[in-house]
């Protein structure tokens, strides 16, 4: 079950107000004749529409600020990449290997050299942070999905794709991070 989208609800209200305004300022002759007596109502409707428009713009801005962005690793400077990798390593050590020790124990120690591991783990870390970081808001359904789906999904895919183990890394190619990012525009 999903909750109704607040922005869509506001947009529906806006449509309704615009419809009412169209009726009042209407295209037909008899409605125009009533316009003088209804002008107070028209002013109110125009004001409500303006306020609702501002409310929607504010809600969209809030949503954009609230929603965590997917980690993106291409085109980073060496320093930025090192800083992000340090945060990811810290999360793997402090959260993964502590709270999910049995799962994370299967991750080979060379995982930071594997782009797929870095991308997948940083993405699942971003979701973990979203779910758990705010002590006043830890949504239970999201935690259940994280435990049931995202974490085992990522670790299962990495275990299938990365065949390295403690005896050494089988990665042969040079670091793909040094290459130029693809152009998407
Ligand atoms: Zn490896």
């Amino acid at each position: 079950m999903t909750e109704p989208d607040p922005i869509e609800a506001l947009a529906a209200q806006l449509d309704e107000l615009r419809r009412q305004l169209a009726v009042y300022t209407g295209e037909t002759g008899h409605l125009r004749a009533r316009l003088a007596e209804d002008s107070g109502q028209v002013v109110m409707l125009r004001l409500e529409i303006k306020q609702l428009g501002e409310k929607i713009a504010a809600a969209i801005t809030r949503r954009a600020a609230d929603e965590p962005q997917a980690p993106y690793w291409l085109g980073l400077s060496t320093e930025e990449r090192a800083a992000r990798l340090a945060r990811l390593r810290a999360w793997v050590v402090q959260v993964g290997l502590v709270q999910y020790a049995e799962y994370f124990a299967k991750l080979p120690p060379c995982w930071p050299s594997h782009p797929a591991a870095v991308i997948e783990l940083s993405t699942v870390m971003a979701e973990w942070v979203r779910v758990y970081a705010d002590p006043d808001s830890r949504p239970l359904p999201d935690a259940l999905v994280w435990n049931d789906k995202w974490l085992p999904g990522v670790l299962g895919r990495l275990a299938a794709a990365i065949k390295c183990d403690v005896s050494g890394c089988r990665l042969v190619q040079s670091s793909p991070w040094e290459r130029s990012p693809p152009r998407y525009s």
Side-chain angles (χ1 to χ4, degrees), residues 110 114 162 164 169-171:
C110 58
H114 295 261
I162 301 174
C164 313
C169 182
R170 301 185 188 185
L171 198 67

Side-chain angles (χ1 to χ4, degrees), residues 83-104:
R84 284 209 209 173
L85 197 55
R87 287 197 291 274
L88 181 57
R89 278 178 195 270
W91 180 80
V92 167
V93 170
Q94 290 163 14
V95 177
L97 287 168
V98 172
Q99 297 209 285
Y100 303 91
E102 294 80 3
Y103 298 165
F104 273 81

Side-chain angles (χ1 to χ4, degrees), residues 33-102:
R34 286 176 49 201
L35 197 55
E37 65 191 81
D38 287 337
S39 61
Q41 184 68 23
V42 170
V43 169
M44 284 304 297
L45 278 171
R46 285 197 195 284
L47 186 64
E48 273 186 63
I49 285 173
K50 184 169 174 285
Q51 287 171 344
L52 205 50
E54 289 166 359
K55 230 176 177 176
I56 290 174
I60 288 170
T61 306
R62 252 197 330 274
R63 169 175 294 181
D66 284 351
E67 281 187 4
Q69 300 298 297
Y72 189 73
W73 288 83
L74 291 174
L76 297 177
S77 69
T78 309
E79 295 76 23
E80 176 64 8
R81 190 181 122 66
R84 284 209 209 173
L85 197 55
R87 287 197 291 274
L88 181 57
R89 278 178 195 270
W91 180 80
V92 167
V93 170
Q94 290 163 14
V95 177
L97 287 168
V98 172
Q99 297 209 285
Y100 303 91
E102 294 80 3

Side-chain angles (χ1 to χ4, degrees), residues 134-146:
D134 181 355
D136 297 324
S137 171
R138 290 189 176 128
L140 178 61
D142 295 348
L144 288 166
V145 174
W146 196 85

Side-chain angles (χ1 to χ4, degrees), residues 3 23 32 82 86 91 95 101 104 126 140 145 148 153-154 164-165 185:
E3 290 186 10
V23 169
R32 273 210 195 92
W91 180 80
V95 177
F104 273 81
L140 178 61
V145 174
D148 181 50
V154 162
C164 313
D165 52 35
S185 55

